Each structure stands twice: as C-alpha cells, then as structure tokens.
Amino acid sequence: ICHRLVRTGIIKKDGAFSDESMAEGGFPISGQGREAVILSQDDVRDIQLAKAAVRAGIELLLKRASKSCDDIERVYIAGGMGEHLSIDSAFGIGMLPEELSGERGGLPRVTAVGNTSLKGAVEELLHPDPARLEAITRMGTPLLLSDEPDFNDTFVSYMDF
C-alpha cells in the first residue's frame, strides 16, 4: 500500500502525506466508521524506520564482506517479513537495492520464503541430525548493526522513500 501511495504522490518522498488533512486522520484503506482501516502518519513512519533499518543492514553487510550487489546470487527473505512482504513493493520503497532486482540463471534474485525457522525446527524434530545442526550454527557470523560506526548515517540516508 505504501509503495502505491508514494508512487501516486499521496505520500511524499519524505514520508509525509501530501494532503495535510491526512496527517491527522490518515489514509482510508477500507471500511467506514468504526470498521475503517486507516494508514496513519505513524504507520508510514514505522514503515520508513523498518525500511531504513533493513536497507542500512544490507549496505553494511555488503561493506563488511567487501562485496557489491553484483556478487550476490540470491537473497531469501524469511520470517514474518518473508511471509507477507511484496518483493516489488520492497524494491519500490527502497528497502532493497534496485541492483538486486531481476533474475539470474532464470530465477528471481530475491525471493520471500516464509517462516523458515519454523520449517527448520519441524525438520530437525522430525529428522534429527546433530552434525547438520552444528554445521548450520557455525555458518553465521553475528553483526550488531548498533555497533557499526556507519550505522546511524547509513540508516538516516535511507529514511526517504
């Protein structure tokens, strides 16, 4: 929804509604009266904060690994975000770098895969494999974004849509 509203000019690049009356009452999505679903200015700000954090995380991960988007074959978006995110909208609001769009080898470079941690937990319960589990736990390297010196500047630079 946010992507469409930005694209049509209802929400400006800085996240403010173009019609000041919507800043107070929000943008009606569906229903009326007590049944109305409204996108509020606070909702838009929350989307901006989440989008900026994700994008800053991507940029800092690439920097830490000395890689560019061209080096990335596939991106899998998991969890609640992977369950509900429109990939096109994520590109449209700048959550994902445009350089990751399109396909490679006939497959989309970015794919939403749903709740993979739950799927993995079920798989491990049904087919225990301690060696595989140990290997998986060694594959990751934690990166605390708040500890990265460039995080705040990078985060702020991606706030606009």
Side-chain angles (χ1 to χ4, degrees), residues 52-54 56-58 60-61 64 142-155:
V54 168
I58 292 168
L60 292 172
L61 282 169
R64 171 69 75 86
L143 173 65
L144 297 175
L145 293 177
S146 60
D147 289 347
E148 292 295 308
D150 296 339
F151 176 72
N152 286 336
D153 290 340
T154 307
F155 174 81

Side-chain angles (χ1 to χ4, degrees), residues 71-123:
D71 297 316
I72 307 300
E73 288 293 319
R74 302 268 183 276
V75 175
Y76 299 100
I77 301 176
M81 185 176 284
E83 195 77 36
H84 303 287
L85 182 71
S86 159
I87 300 299
D88 289 338
S89 293
F91 280 114
I93 65 170
M95 180 181 283
L96 300 173
E98 212 37 63
E99 298 87 355
L100 289 174
S101 65
E103 296 184 349
R104 238 191 221 167
L107 297 171
R109 289 184 68 198
V110 178
T111 305
V113 292
N115 191 344
T116 56
S117 61
L118 178 60
K119 292 172 187 170
V122 168
E123 176 68 20

Side-chain angles (χ1 to χ4, degrees), residues 5-6 10 20 45 66-67 106 121 125 138 141-143 145 155-156:
L5 296 179
V6 170
I10 293 170
E20 289 184 27
R45 290 286 180 243
S66 300
K67 301 287 182 186
L125 286 171
R138 282 193 227 142
T141 303
L143 173 65
L145 293 177
F155 174 81
V156 169

